Amino acid sequence: MSNISLFPSGNLVRVTSHGPFRGLKGTIRQVDAIVDDLEDPFCFYLIDLERASIAEAIWFEYHEVEFIGIPHLNMSSSTPSGNTGKKQGTFA
């Protein structure tokens, strides 16, 4: 049994399969793995794609995506504490 790294939810990936989504980046929303003692784990990723023509997340097999990074945390934000991040109107 070979070691297959499973990517956790929240990681950024790129679609490498041949098809209409090839080259698109996205975020893993869910991981479903089928584990059998006789074979390597078989894994599916539910990916929320960026700039895709459809709004729903799409399932891909583990060999159809590659890891490209973890989400960036915006630590340099200058918003005051308690701000929910929603756009606020300006007052004169």
Side-chain angles (χ1 to χ4, degrees):
M1 183 173 189
S2 66
N3 292 331
I4 296 176
S5 288
L6 300 181
F7 308 135
S9 295
N11 279 351
L12 303 175
V13 293
R14 178 180 298 116
V15 177
T16 59
S17 65
H18 295 285
F21 305 111
R22 182 178 178 87
L24 292 180
K25 298 176 185 176
T27 303
I28 298 173
R29 294 295 172 219
Q30 185 177 339
V31 180
D32 279 345
I34 301 170
V35 179
D36 186 353
D37 291 338
L38 302 176
E39 297 182 23
D40 291 335
F42 195 75
C43 179
F44 293 93
Y45 296 109
L46 183 62
I47 309 293
D48 185 14
L49 294 171
E50 300 171 2
R51 294 185 288 249
S53 58
I54 59 174
E56 298 87 18
I58 300 172
W59 288 100
F60 291 95
E61 294 180 32
Y62 71 95
H63 59 83
E64 295 180 314
V65 297
E66 67 181 358
F67 174 79
I68 59 172
I70 57 175
H72 295 290
L73 297 176
N74 189 0
M75 301 300 279
S76 63
S77 177
S78 61
T79 58
S81 63
N83 187 348
T84 62
K86 294 182 180 179
K87 188 173 181 180
Q88 297 178 354
T90 57
F91 298 97

